[in-house]
Amino acid sequence: MGVPTAVEEGLPAPIHRALLEELPLDAEPGVVITACEKRLHAAQILRNAMESRALAAYFHYAGPAVRLAHSTGSWQHITDPSTGKPCRSWAAWLRAAKVSRQHAFRMIKEEPLLDALKGLNVGNLGVRQIDVLSPVLTAHGKEKVRLVWETAAETGDTGAANLEKIRDQLGLTPGSAAVDEELPEKSSTLPVLRFQASPGTFDAGKVREAARAQPEVALLVARTIISELEGDGAEA
């Protein structure tokens, strides 16, 4: 049985051979298990390749629709099936459309950046890198994003901190308007991430609500708190 043409393209030759090689039905146990593990390894490589291609195709076709819905605010005109009323939040529309928040975040912010950086050795962008570069793309366009990245690459460091430093050195620091534009929800009811309503109190429900609405902000806050606590522990 051959490997389907649609998935065999691009597979390394040894993996392709391992998928086609007959399994030994009458051999020593050591030979049998070695052949089985070799086949399983090749099958996993095949599966990963198929999932990667499927995800790339999904982003290719779904990304433009998600970006358009977000930029136009048209999602607010759809009825939320869970309430029977117009969607009050971007997250509610994503749930109705069956798009994960993680995928939507990538479609709105990471994909346009990867397109701007096409041809450069970028790989997957982290949340902090996206947060640094997204305002540059919005306010100044693709060429300035490439300039920031290429300048950082020349120093051998394309981490978020260095990208931010170079961005600011190049005079591309975002103003308040650009920062506001990067909010994931275009809604006046977007909750603010708060830990204390008053000294000595903690409202876990409000924190969870804000974290669900702004996961990238919540993640940055969590990382900062953990980093600070670990630092205190080390000093102690």
Side-chain angles (χ1 to χ4, degrees):
M1 180 178 64
V3 183
T5 304
V7 297
E8 71 176 354
E9 295 177 0
L11 286 176
I15 298 301
H16 187 236
R17 287 195 298 271
L19 292 170
L20 298 177
E21 188 175 343
E22 292 290 337
L23 292 171
L25 301 179
D26 185 15
E28 294 294 326
V31 174
V32 172
I33 192 59
T34 297
C36 289
E37 290 184 343
K38 185 177 179 181
R39 170 72 71 83
L40 290 172
H41 172 70
Q44 186 62 52
I45 296 293
L46 173 63
R47 176 182 176 179
N48 292 342
M50 292 173 66
E51 290 177 347
S52 177
R53 292 177 190 180
L55 188 60
Y58 171 68
F59 271 65
H60 176 77
Y61 290 107
V66 170
R67 287 192 289 274
L68 182 61
H70 182 265
S71 65
T72 60
S74 56
W75 56 267
Q76 298 176 72
H77 299 271
I78 295 297
T79 299
D80 184 344
S82 66
T83 64
K85 299 178 181 179
C87 284
R88 297 183 57 189
S89 69
W90 175 243
W93 179 77
L94 290 175
R95 285 195 298 271
K98 295 182 173 25
V99 178
S100 77
R101 292 180 63 84
Q102 180 183 16
H103 285 166
F105 177 79
R106 285 185 58 190
M107 290 172 186
I108 293 170
K109 293 189 174 184
E110 183 181 24
E111 276 205 325
L113 287 172
L114 290 176
D115 180 61
L117 298 171
K118 188 178 298 182
L120 302 178
N121 185 21
V122 177
N124 293 328
L125 295 173
V127 172
R128 282 287 297 123
Q129 290 172 304
I130 292 172
D131 287 342
V132 170
L133 295 174
S134 242
V136 178
L137 180 62
T138 301
H140 304 286
K142 295 181 179 181
E143 291 305 315
K144 294 302 182 182
V145 173
R146 293 182 71 88
L147 176 62
V148 173
W149 185 273
E150 290 174 332
T151 304
E154 289 175 0
T155 69
D157 180 7
T158 54
N162 196 43
L163 286 171
E164 184 173 17
K165 175 182 176 182
I166 290 172
R167 181 196 68 185
D168 295 348
Q169 288 176 344
L170 293 172
L172 301 173
T173 304
S176 58
V179 172
D180 290 341
E181 189 174 349
E182 292 305 307
L183 292 175
E185 303 244 7
K186 295 191 175 181
S187 168
S188 60
T189 60
L190 185 68
V192 176
L193 183 61
R194 297 183 61 182
F195 291 91
Q196 291 183 306
S198 60
T201 65
F202 173 73
D203 191 333
K206 288 189 178 296
V207 173
R208 292 191 183 96
E209 178 188 0
R212 286 194 296 268
Q214 302 180 81
E216 61 275 15
V217 174
L219 183 59
L220 291 174
V221 171
R223 286 174 176 167
T224 301
I225 292 174
I226 291 172
S227 175
E228 183 66 21
L229 292 176
E230 289 177 344
D232 288 346
E235 292 174 3

